């Protein structure tokens, strides 16, 4: 419904207005998240985190709706941490109505047994999704038919099964990284036709263990958000670079984690700087080497770089480290403490 308003002005003006609106919204919430007290430093660092990351620049270049979706997710997390859960649910519903993958953030509500907020979010999603179809030409049924069959065409015309075995979708999907490694290892004749099934099996496994981690692990909020962002970035078969905007979400919580800064142990100090470097690597472009013989979704131009492998593997390994660390420390939440803000998360030994 939001984007119908842009159709009343010219394409050039609508693009400028569209980009200005979501950019201002992003800056507003990141400024609110920023805990620096000096105004100049707070504003300067907020501008850097808002407009100088690879994901934002890529999104701005493409004019993608991911910018507005990111604004809604920032609003969700801002009100979520302020415990204004009803408002947080409205922002999350707006994000889900644009693209389905923010559904994974409902796991945060599940981890706190906020079932009323979950129901409220899903109800708003249905109202926004189907209500917006009335603003398009044709009937509600015709518009739904167009959307559902358009998704079917994408699945039917899967480039991996087509006539271009070296076709790779650029982005951050684990599937693209797997396909490059299989081709480079000359394993296409062996496992090429089962690679999609193998990928789906890995996706199912990672979805289960990451979901259990978010719901049950007694971990810091920034680690849970990192794992959730990893799910939405690497698990879909197609996941493009503009989605790297979402890496800023766990970064904001990480920078606000005072415990990580004041711990005196040498191991904690090393971990802090390691995580900081992980965020830096994820937020900058890394296309320094292009694989010969591969064509990307830009056509015949060879634009598949090492970033297609590095980004998903870095996200995957760090998230798995969080899961294994929680298992090692036996840091799991007592079910009776779900939803209680006054309860300190406990470490539970497996009996």
């Amino acid at each position: 419904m939001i984007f119908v308003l842009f159709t009343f002005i010219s394409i050039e003006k609508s693009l400028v207005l569209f980009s200005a609106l979501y950019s201002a919204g992003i800056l507003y919430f990141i400024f609110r998240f920023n805990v620096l007290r000096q105004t100049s430093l707070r504003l300067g660092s907020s501008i850097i985190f808002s407009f100088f990351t690879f994901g934002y620049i890529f999104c701005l270049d493409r004019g993608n709706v991911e910018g507005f979706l990111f604004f809604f997710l920032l609003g969700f997390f801002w009100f979520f941490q302020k415990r204004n859960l009803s408002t947080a649910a409205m922002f999350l519903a707006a994000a889900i109505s644009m693209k389905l993958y923010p559904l994974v953030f409902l796991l945060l509500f599940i981890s706190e047994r906020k079932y009323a907020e979950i129901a409220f979010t899903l109800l708003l999603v249905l109202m926004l999704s189907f209500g917006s179809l009335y603003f398009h030409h044709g009937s509600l049924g015709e518009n739904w038919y167009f959307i559902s069959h358009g998704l079917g065409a994408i699945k039917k015309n899967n480039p991996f099964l087509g006539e271009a075995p070296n076709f790779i979708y650029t982005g951050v999907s684990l599937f693209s990284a797997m396909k490059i490694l299989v081709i480079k290892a000359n394993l296409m004749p062996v496992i090429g036709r089962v690679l999609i099934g193998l990928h789906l099996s890995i996706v199912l496994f990672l979805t289960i263990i990451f979901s259990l981690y978010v719901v049950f692990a007694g971990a810091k909020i920034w680690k849970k958000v990192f794992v959730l962002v990893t799910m939405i970035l690497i698990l879909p078969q197609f996941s493009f670079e503009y989605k790297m905007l979402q890496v800023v979400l766990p970064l904001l919580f990480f920078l606000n984690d005072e415990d990580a800064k004041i711990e005196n142990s040498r191991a904690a100090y090393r971990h802090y700087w390691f995580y900081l470097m992980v965020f830096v690597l994820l937020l900058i472009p890394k296309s320094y080497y292009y694989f010969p013989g591969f064509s990307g979704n830009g056509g015949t131009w060879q634009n598949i770089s090492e970033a297609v492998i590095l980004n998903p593997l870095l996200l995957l390994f760090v998230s798995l480290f969080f899961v294994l660390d929680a298992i090692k420390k036996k840091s799991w939440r007592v079910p009776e403490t779900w939803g209680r803000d006054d309860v300190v998360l406990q470490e539970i030994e497996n009996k």
Side-chain angles (χ1 to χ4, degrees):
M1 288 186 283
I2 296 175
F3 303 108
V4 173
L5 301 176
F6 294 101
T7 63
F8 294 101
I9 57 179
S10 66
I11 295 178
E12 293 79 9
K13 292 180 180 178
S14 63
L15 181 60
V16 172
L17 180 61
F18 169 79
S19 302
L21 284 176
Y22 77 71
S23 298
I26 290 173
L27 179 60
Y28 169 77
F29 275 119
I30 290 182
F31 184 81
R32 296 293 298 273
F33 266 103
N34 201 321
V35 295
L36 294 176
R37 295 183 178 181
Q38 188 173 340
T39 303
S40 59
L41 289 177
R42 187 181 182 188
L43 179 60
S45 59
S46 298
I47 290 175
I48 292 174
F49 292 139
S50 299
F51 307 137
F52 289 88
T53 66
F54 173 66
Y56 173 83
I57 295 172
F58 196 94
C59 184
L60 185 67
D61 177 73
R62 295 298 188 269
N64 197 276
V65 297
E66 196 79 17
F68 259 108
L69 187 147
F70 180 59
F71 160 71
F72 287 130
L73 288 179
L74 281 170
F76 162 69
F77 280 108
W78 171 255
F79 289 107
F80 183 84
Q81 73 162 359
K82 294 297 181 182
R83 313 309 298 167
N84 188 344
L85 299 184
S86 297
T87 306
M90 288 190 285
F91 274 90
L92 182 58
I96 297 172
S97 300
M98 297 179 66
K99 296 185 179 182
L100 286 178
Y101 70 76
L103 273 169
V104 300
F105 294 114
L106 287 175
L107 290 170
L108 293 174
F109 282 145
I110 295 176
S111 69
E112 300 191 9
R113 293 199 301 184
K114 302 298 182 181
Y115 303 126
E117 283 74 11
I118 294 174
F120 180 53
T121 301
L122 296 178
L123 178 61
L124 284 178
V125 168
L126 291 176
M127 294 173 61
L128 290 172
S129 299
F130 286 97
S132 63
L133 295 180
Y134 283 104
F135 291 89
H136 297 276
H137 294 290
S139 65
L140 176 64
E142 291 172 340
N143 289 324
W144 174 250
Y145 180 87
F146 175 80
I147 293 175
S148 59
H149 283 67
L151 294 174
I154 293 176
K155 296 178 182 178
K156 181 178 178 181
N157 299 318
N158 191 309
F160 180 81
L161 298 176
E163 297 178 357
N166 285 6
F167 186 95
I168 304 292
Y169 267 107
T170 60
V172 68
S173 171
L174 182 62
F175 179 77
S176 295
M178 290 173 58
K179 186 176 177 182
I180 292 176
L181 295 175
V182 167
I183 293 174
K184 283 294 185 180
N186 295 320
L187 295 176
M188 281 291 288
V190 180
I191 63 172
R193 287 291 173 175
V194 299
L195 185 56
I196 290 181
L198 177 62
H199 170 257
L200 290 177
S201 300
I202 294 175
V203 166
L204 179 61
F205 172 74
L206 292 177
T207 300
I208 292 173
I209 64 170
F210 287 161
S211 299
L212 291 175
Y213 173 82
V214 172
V215 173
F216 294 108
K220 295 181 178 180
I221 182 64
W222 77 264
K223 292 183 178 181
K224 292 189 175 186
V225 176
F226 188 97
V227 170
L228 289 170
V229 168
T230 296
M231 293 174 65
I232 66 178
L233 290 180
I234 74 170
L235 297 187
Q237 198 171 27
F238 314 119
S239 187
F240 301 111
E241 285 93 338
Y242 47 73
K243 289 174 67 175
M244 293 296 289
L245 257 176
Q246 313 303 339
V247 176
V248 176
L249 295 171
L251 174 63
L252 295 174
F253 284 100
F254 172 75
L255 294 176
N256 290 347
D257 183 11
E258 293 297 331
D259 292 338
K261 302 174 185 177
I262 63 177
E263 289 180 359
N264 295 322
S265 69
R266 184 171 298 179
Y269 180 81
R270 290 198 300 265
H271 286 168
Y272 179 81
W273 284 101
F274 169 75
Y275 297 141
L276 197 61
M277 291 305 301
V278 167
F279 282 115
V280 170
L281 288 174
L282 290 172
L283 292 172
I284 63 173
K286 295 176 288 296
S287 299
Y288 304 116
Y289 172 79
Y290 290 89
F291 294 105
F294 290 96
S295 59
N297 42 298
T300 57
W301 180 46
Q302 296 181 359
N303 61 340
I304 305 301
S305 71
E306 84 287 350
V308 179
I309 295 178
L310 291 179
N311 282 329
L313 292 185
L314 185 59
L315 287 162
L316 176 62
F317 289 152
V318 173
S319 296
L320 288 176
F321 172 77
F322 291 156
V323 174
L324 294 175
D325 186 58
I327 294 174
K328 179 182 177 181
K329 294 180 179 178
K330 301 176 182 179
S331 179
W332 301 97
R333 298 183 67 174
V334 180
E336 289 75 12
T337 67
W338 290 359
R340 293 177 54 188
D341 299 332
D342 60 325
V343 176
V344 178
L345 301 181
Q346 303 179 34
E347 292 187 359
I348 305 173
E349 295 183 2
N350 296 327
K351 299 266 179 125

